[in-house]
Amino acid sequence: MTMSDTTPGVVARLRRTTVGRSVFRSPPKVTPRDRAAAHWASFFLHIYPVKMRRREIAFRYSWYLGVISTVLLGSLVASGIYLMFFYVPSPNQAYSNIQTIQTDVTFGQYIRNVHRWSAHLMVLAVAAHMARVFYRGAYKAPRQFNWVIGVTLLVLTLLMSFTGYLLPWDQLAFWAVTVGTEMAGYVPVVGESVKEMLLGGVLVSASTLLRFYVLHVVVLPTVIVVLLMVHLWRWRKDSMLDTDRPVVEGTAQPELEGSATDG
Ligand code: HEM
């Protein structure tokens, strides 16, 4: 059977051209083995298992809360990049830059609101996602490691909100960060050093603004994106390790007992 037998019209013709053949390397997908080969050959699909449980991608199992968190993260990155075009993290300019974004920049007020709302909703969505994982017992073997990555993602999400809060450089921002960093200072042993490291001194100042800005636009988003890639990869791979599969005599995997995807 040829490609044209399985793929309709225009797409099949495009795939047969020299350019098409250099882009799409997968063989015609006739048997399950062909489909698996296509999966492995694709850059975008190769991280996914070839098969996965239908139940795990059903709305009633996950309520798509992790997916919603991911979409909100995408919205934050896109709107954040737009805001960066008009914002300078210096005490002399930050506040007036925000005023300009609100009043003069094309779509400025709209994009700023998208950024703020996405941030609030992401905190809610991530917390709800964590509660869902707990309620379903989806933290149990073989998913313990993904739970730990998840907790780290939650902390990083909260830190994103905290660092973003200072950037408008208004009274609310200034005092909120003063209170937040003072609280960090009360942590036993390391508190004082953490506080000074965050502030870049003993008080909220130009150094604090610059540090929070770098954390907010470079460090935290990069760590979140990298960890999220691992999180999603583990989500799919862990689904293959489920003990619901029939276990062959003598090959039982005790460490997977008490698996969690029921319900
Ligand atoms: C930036 C924050 C996060 C994002 C974007 C995110 C994203 C996702 C996505 C898309 C999924 C698969 C679909 C779903 O379950 O809805 C997932 C699964 C999972 N997440 Fe998260 N997550 C985040 C934070 C967390 C947190 C805070 C926890 C728990 C402490 C967590 C634990 C898990 C676990 C254990 C799974 C596998 C669930 C299962 O297989 O049933 N994640 N995550």
Side-chain angles (χ1 to χ4, degrees):
M1 195 179 277
T2 63
M3 171 95 60
S4 54
D5 294 327
T6 53
T7 324
V10 183
V11 179
R13 277 208 297 283
L14 269 176
R15 283 183 156 221
R16 278 199 304 271
T17 61
T18 311
V19 176
R21 271 182 285 127
S22 75
V23 176
F24 304 104
R25 297 243 165 90
S26 55
K29 298 176 204 62
V30 182
T31 64
R33 190 179 177 286
D34 294 337
R35 293 201 192 94
H39 220 90
W40 289 316
S42 158
F43 174 76
F44 295 105
L45 296 180
H46 80 276
I47 60 163
Y48 294 126
V50 171
K51 288 185 179 180
M52 82 168 292
R53 280 156 209 287
R54 188 181 288 274
R55 184 181 51 184
E56 285 206 23
I57 43 176
F59 175 76
R60 59 183 286 276
Y61 172 67
S62 70
W63 301 323
Y64 293 168
L65 289 165
V67 175
I68 292 169
S69 312
T70 311
V71 170
L72 288 168
L73 178 67
S75 151
L76 280 163
V77 171
S79 53
I81 290 173
Y82 188 72
L83 294 174
M84 278 173 76
F85 290 138
F86 311 102
Y87 177 85
V88 179
S90 111
N92 294 333
Q93 297 182 60
Y95 183 74
S96 60
N97 284 171
I98 299 287
Q99 303 300 310
T100 312
I101 288 171
Q102 291 282 116
T103 51
D104 290 349
V105 171
T106 315
F107 298 123
Q109 188 175 32
Y110 171 69
I111 300 287
R112 185 173 177 225
N113 281 337
V114 166
H115 198 74
R116 281 190 90 99
W117 276 98
S118 299
H120 295 320
L121 291 175
M122 185 169 165
V123 172
L124 284 178
V126 172
H129 169 58
M130 185 177 182
R132 189 290 293 181
V133 168
F134 184 75
Y135 164 69
R136 286 278 193 220
Y139 53 83
K140 293 183 197 164
R143 295 175 172 75
Q144 310 94 317
F145 183 61
N146 224 13
W147 171 266
V148 174
I149 297 180
V151 172
T152 317
L153 283 170
L154 175 68
V155 173
L156 291 170
T157 306
L158 296 176
L159 283 175
M160 279 296 281
S161 290
F162 184 58
T163 49
Y165 212 73
L166 183 66
L167 303 185
W169 202 244
D170 50 15
Q171 286 294 316
L172 190 63
F174 185 91
W175 291 110
V177 170
T178 303
V179 171
T181 47
E182 280 300 317
M183 281 162 67
Y186 284 102
V187 173
V189 190
V190 290
E192 227 12 74
S193 335
V194 170
K195 182 182 144 190
E196 282 192 23
M197 214 157 61
L198 280 173
L199 290 176
V202 285
L203 290 172
V204 176
S205 65
S207 317
T208 321
L209 183 58
L210 187 58
R211 277 173 194 219
F212 273 47
Y213 180 73
V214 174
L215 286 172
H216 190 77
V217 305
V218 183
V219 182
L220 296 171
T222 309
V223 182
I224 288 185
V225 168
V226 171
L227 282 182
L228 185 57
M229 276 156 46
V230 181
H231 193 65
L232 298 182
W233 180 79
R234 282 303 291 236
W235 162 48
R236 288 295 177 99
K237 297 288 176 184
D238 288 348
S239 138
M240 301 292 284
L241 296 173
D242 216 309
T243 41
D244 287 356
R245 283 186 302 170
V247 179
V248 181
E249 271 295 303
T251 60
Q253 298 160 294
E255 76 275 16
L256 298 183
E257 270 168 18
S259 176
T261 51
D262 318 86

